[in-house]
Amino acid sequence: MSELGFVEKSVKGWKVTKLGEALGGRQFEFEQTGVPYVSWNESILRNKTILETFKALNGEVEEESVRDSNSAKQNETLGFREKFEAKHRAADGHYVRSRAEMLIDNWLYMSEIVHAYERKLPIEEDVYCDFYLPVGKVYIEFWGIESDEKYLERKRVKLDIYKKYGFNLIEIDDADIQNLDDILPKKLLKFGIQAY
């Protein structure tokens, strides 16, 4: 639940987040100790995001959903992920879609900041971030194409989703790439993450 951003660690125990509240989480505390905890309605067990996360953690992939997504991809025009293949290999082994993303990935790796590449946001909408940092539950988006109208619309939609759910977001653009050593530590510090 913490990994998905539904709860956050308190001094002792756990506190429900805004996203967790939206999914039915309720905040309580133990009467004798005052330690906070979160209780969930049974409906949480049917939440698509949670079910997908547990399946992914167990290495399970539904054949039918893979087959459906493959046929859907063939029937529609190429999407962003198909158009821009992840062919740049970062120092930690991640394959990323651009040289700029490779530089960001390498910077995070060399700064010993645990991160995931292209992680699905823990929401019903099918949206992926560029990078996710479990510590601080921070999402990083690199905006590399500012001249394409479809890309700008996709950017607007993603920013609206980050705002709607109150996710911690760091935005990086082309101008920032050459100054990652100056830019990223400052942006990370705002979320309590120390780079060096």
Side-chain angles (χ1 to χ4, degrees):
M1 298 297 220
S2 174
E3 173 73 12
L4 294 171
F6 299 164
V7 294
E8 59 189 11
K9 190 81 174 120
S10 181
V11 175
K12 285 190 172 189
W14 297 93
K15 291 197 172 192
V16 68
T17 63
K18 287 182 183 179
L19 181 59
E21 283 179 350
L23 294 171
R26 294 184 25 206
Q27 187 70 55
F28 295 97
E29 66 178 48
F30 286 106
E31 196 173 304
Q32 294 171 340
T33 63
V35 174
Y37 69 95
V38 179
S39 179
W40 301 92
N41 184 297
E42 189 177 305
S43 65
I44 196 77
L45 298 173
R46 294 183 295 279
N47 180 281
K48 182 181 172 186
T49 303
I50 289 177
L51 295 174
E52 287 175 355
T53 301
F54 285 134
K55 285 180 182 176
L57 288 172
N58 290 324
E60 299 172 20
V61 178
E62 289 184 29
E63 291 298 323
E64 189 175 311
S65 68
V66 170
R67 193 169 41 252
D68 288 347
S69 73
N70 286 339
S71 63
K73 286 178 186 176
Q74 292 168 355
N75 292 336
E76 58 186 49
T77 58
L78 288 179
F80 181 81
R81 300 175 109 178
E82 293 79 27
K83 192 186 239 183
F84 300 100
E85 184 183 348
K87 59 184 176 187
H88 301 274
R89 187 170 184 190
D92 61 1
H94 287 147
Y95 280 92
V96 297
R97 300 188 187 287
S98 69
R99 183 180 173 278
E101 287 183 342
M102 183 180 69
L103 292 170
I104 295 167
D105 195 291
N106 286 345
W107 190 93
L108 292 169
Y109 176 70
M110 297 308 288
S111 298
E112 298 180 352
I113 297 174
V114 174
H115 60 283
Y117 178 69
E118 284 198 343
R119 171 140 183 180
K120 184 181 181 310
L121 298 182
I123 56 176
E124 292 294 323
E125 294 96 327
D126 193 27
V127 178
Y128 289 78
C129 65
D130 290 334
F131 297 94
Y132 172 68
L133 313 181
V135 63
K137 293 173 186 48
V138 174
Y139 298 88
I140 298 177
E141 286 290 345
F142 169 67
W143 309 115
I145 307 171
E146 295 294 330
S147 58
D148 183 309
E149 206 52 48
K150 279 178 91 173
Y151 184 87
L152 292 174
E153 176 59 21
R154 185 174 155 267
K155 175 182 177 179
R156 188 192 61 72
V157 168
K158 282 181 93 171
L159 287 173
D160 287 346
I161 287 172
Y162 280 111
K163 187 175 185 179
K164 174 183 174 182
Y165 292 101
F167 290 136
N168 296 332
L169 175 64
I170 292 176
E171 297 181 71
I172 299 174
D173 59 31
D174 263 338
D176 297 331
I177 293 299
Q178 299 306 316
N179 299 311
L180 288 178
D181 286 333
D182 296 328
I183 303 286
L184 265 177
K186 281 190 235 175
K187 291 186 179 212
L188 290 167
L189 202 52
K190 289 180 183 176
F191 298 105
I193 302 171
Q194 189 171 346
Y196 352 91

